[in-house]
Amino acid sequence: MAFIHLDIRYLYTLLICTVFDCTLSSNTEIKVNPPQNFEIVDPGYLGYLYLQWQPPLSMDNFKECKVEYELKYRNIDSENWKTIITKNLHYKDGFDLNKGIEAKIQALLPGQCTNGSEVQSSWSEATYWIPIQGNLETKIQDMDCIYYNWQYLLCSWKPGLSVQFDTNYNLFYWYEGMNHALQCSEYIKANGKNIGCRFPYLESSDYKDFYICVNGSSDSKPIRSSYFIFQLQNLVKPLPPDYLSITVKNSGKINLKWSMPRGPIPVQCLNYEVEFTEDDTTWMTTTVENEMSIMRQSNESQQVCFIVRSKVNIYCSDDGIWSEWSDEKCWTGDMWKKTLIHFIVPIGLISLFILSTTFLLMYKQKALLKMLFDSKKEVFSHQEILC
Ligand SMILES: *[C@@H]1O[C@H](CO)[C@@H](O)[C@H](O)[C@H]1NC(C)=O
Ligand SMILES: *[C@@H]1O[C@H](CO)[C@@H](O)[C@H](O)[C@H]1NC(C)=O
Ligand SMILES: *[C@@H]1O[C@H](CO)[C@@H](O)[C@H](O)[C@H]1NC(C)=O
């Protein structure tokens, strides 16, 4: 195949030269063979593949010349090729193993080696497919991974649509720095089946591709594997902010403040959404600070409340998940205090009155009892004397 390509190129050049009367006759003789033994190697890292090749044959004429390679690769069906120019004999990258991979490579002789323009070889091609087994309906569904507080990674899934009861799934993961892919060590189970995984502490796993494969087994039929590539910093769901405080100044200025629970998320990595309510009006705003000042809409407003939630910001990740909302913090205005006084003072006075009356009554009762008892005792002692 490659030689046919070369021949066609040669004929083509000849044709051009006959038409245009080539004076650079030497140029037509310079050819370069394609790289040899081009292959895609799967080291078992669940999507991280090695593309490797050997130099072209008969490079002796270009000893002083460093040949370059133009490498193109993509997932089959994707629109664009990724293009790499390199002098190395290998290249590594991450791929979506749910699909096939195709790659091609050509050798390039730079212009300074050929006394003219760059010379290209024909392409060497390679493809790679994970052996496909099971139909699509046996794949897990709704894979959901959340990196809680940038600390605890948890993934969960639902079984495939058409699987037998004996089907069970297993999760494997790998990222750069690990010697080999590991199986989940703490599955989340439902009815004895794995439906999720609690990952252990993942050292130096941020800002790199994190590869996951969920495959399965069943006695009745093969199960299709699913592959995922995440960047963990994009899956972070922070804890909700706490220690909310609200101060309302006489000038009408309102200060809102909150803090984040302890954890590994750097403060400069967070932004916040604040939902603010003044009496019946509610509005939202976002900020990267953990406090804000606003003006009261009206001096007559009686209740000012806010809640806040947080998310990792664009300076630290491409994406994130909003935390839960914090508990609500409120400030109640003077009118409310007045109402409070109107209620509490009368209630207090009434309670005091009731209390003192009860005491008085009880005291009186006691005195009465004492009187009775004393008189009885007197009678008794009289009898004693009689005996
Ligand atoms: C390029 O030109 C130089 C000087 O003209 C010559 O010595 C050399 O052999 C040429 N190289 C090739 C590859 O034709
Ligand atoms: C699932 O994937 C792991 C990791 O690639 C592999 O070792 C294991 O044999 C696979 N299991 C099945 C049932 O395909
Ligand atoms: C509220 O009262 C303060 C002080 O009396 C005044 O400066 C401010 O303009 C008032 N604001 C509104 C919205 O009425």
Side-chain angles (χ1 to χ4, degrees):
M1 183 69 185
F3 282 112
I4 297 170
H5 269 243
L6 272 184
D7 282 347
I8 290 169
R9 274 179 63 92
Y10 186 67
L11 283 175
Y12 200 64
T13 325
L14 269 182
L15 191 72
I16 289 173
C17 283
T18 35
V19 172
F20 290 102
D21 179 29
C22 288
T23 42
L24 292 163
S25 58
S26 67
N27 228 4
T28 58
E29 283 148 28
I30 297 173
K31 282 191 292 181
V32 58
N33 286 314
Q36 303 179 85
N37 304 332
F38 180 45
E39 56 181 347
I40 301 175
V41 177
D42 184 355
Y45 295 156
L46 316 177
Y48 189 68
L49 301 179
Y50 300 165
L51 305 158
Q52 55 193 46
W53 57 92
Q54 296 298 318
L57 274 178
S58 58
M59 285 298 294
D60 302 344
N61 306 341
F62 308 103
K63 279 242 169 68
E64 321 82 70
C65 222
K66 193 87 176 143
V67 65
E68 290 185 344
Y69 304 96
E70 181 177 355
L71 172 67
K72 285 177 177 280
Y73 58 89
R74 65 179 180 182
N75 269 115
I76 289 171
D77 295 342
S78 79
E79 299 242 310
N80 303 313
W81 292 93
K82 253 196 192 174
T83 302
I84 305 291
I85 305 281
T86 177
K87 289 181 174 155
N88 295 333
L89 294 173
H90 58 85
Y91 193 78
K92 300 172 182 179
D93 201 0
F95 294 87
D96 177 3
L97 291 189
N98 296 303
K99 299 173 195 155
I101 290 107
E102 56 184 338
K104 53 186 185 179
I105 191 165
Q106 67 178 359
L108 303 175
L109 274 185
Q112 64 265 31
C113 303
T114 62
N115 286 350
S117 56
E118 183 186 76
V119 173
Q120 301 158 349
S121 77
S122 61
W123 293 100
S124 292
E125 289 174 12
T127 54
Y128 180 72
W129 285 93
I130 276 276
I132 293 176
Q133 55 167 15
N135 62 38
L136 273 176
E137 307 259 281
T138 62
K139 268 172 97 131
I140 57 156
Q141 312 170 72
D142 303 340
M143 179 71 154
D144 184 28
C145 292
I146 299 178
Y147 202 16
Y148 289 97
N149 212 31
W150 211 317
Q151 252 174 330
Y152 310 106
L153 178 63
L154 202 145
C155 290
S156 58
W157 59 82
K158 293 202 189 96
L161 281 173
S162 75
V163 290
Q164 301 297 314
F165 187 70
D166 72 333
T167 305
N168 203 1
Y169 294 96
N170 292 312
L171 179 147
F172 295 83
Y173 63 98
W174 181 85
Y175 59 93
E176 223 177 319
M178 285 173 67
N179 292 330
H180 51 87
L182 283 182
Q183 182 168 182
C184 175
S185 53
E186 195 185 343
Y187 283 110
I188 301 164
K189 288 172 186 282
N191 301 321
K193 303 281 186 263
N194 301 336
I195 55 152
C197 178
R198 258 184 219 100
F199 289 76
Y201 172 64
L202 301 163
E203 200 182 343
S204 338
S205 54
D206 303 331
Y207 303 104
K208 16 174 120 157
D209 287 334
F210 191 91
Y211 299 87
I212 294 178
C213 166
V214 181
N215 60 18
S217 55
S218 158
D219 287 334
S220 49
K221 59 178 172 187
I223 303 297
R224 177 75 65 95
S225 305
S226 297
Y227 293 87
F228 305 90
I229 306 176
F230 298 114
Q231 293 246 330
L232 294 190
Q233 76 279 0
N234 294 337
L235 305 175
V236 175
K237 179 176 179 174
L239 288 168
D242 57 10
Y243 299 112
L244 275 66
S245 85
I246 184 164
T247 34
V248 179
K249 307 244 171 74
N250 280 338
S251 58
K253 202 166 149 191
I254 303 174
N255 275 16
L256 309 176
K257 247 183 151 164
W258 56 90
S259 57
M260 287 300 292
R262 286 223 261 167
I265 310 181
V267 280
Q268 70 274 14
C269 279
L270 289 165
N271 73 346
Y272 306 94
E273 187 166 66
V274 179
E275 189 188 284
F276 180 81
T277 309
E278 184 169 351
D279 286 345
D280 296 329
T281 37
T282 296
W283 50 268
M284 289 228 220
T285 182
T286 53
T287 169
V288 290
E289 307 288 336
N290 70 327
E291 61 181 310
M292 64 187 300
S293 285
I294 41 180
M295 286 307 290
R296 243 170 119 177
Q297 300 292 306
S298 135
N299 278 344
E300 268 73 57
S301 57
Q302 284 156 37
Q303 179 154 303
V304 174
C305 293
F306 82 108
I307 48 177
V308 58
R309 59 179 182 172
S310 72
K311 186 173 155 174
V312 175
N313 63 30
I314 54 164
Y315 305 109
C316 299
S317 75
D318 296 332
D319 203 357
I321 302 164
W322 281 112
S323 75
E324 300 296 319
W325 285 104
S326 68
D327 291 336
E328 189 178 51
K329 183 76 185 179
C330 288
W331 171 89
T332 39
D334 298 335
M335 282 297 283
W336 177 236
K337 272 187 205 152
K338 271 178 216 154
T339 334
L340 214 65
I341 287 163
H342 282 162
F343 272 105
I344 282 189
V345 169
I347 287 174
L349 283 177
I350 290 167
S351 318
L352 204 70
F353 176 74
I354 292 172
L355 224 67
S356 43
T357 338
T358 324
F359 266 122
L360 211 70
L361 276 175
M362 268 167 69
Y363 179 76
K364 275 201 166 161
Q365 212 175 13
K366 225 176 175 182
L368 206 71
L369 275 172
K370 200 175 173 215
M371 239 168 67
L372 272 173
F373 188 71
D374 281 354
S375 58
K376 256 195 187 159
K377 214 166 153 189
E378 239 166 74
V379 174
F380 201 67
S381 51
H382 275 303
Q383 279 175 343
E384 237 168 45
I385 293 164
L386 276 177
C387 289

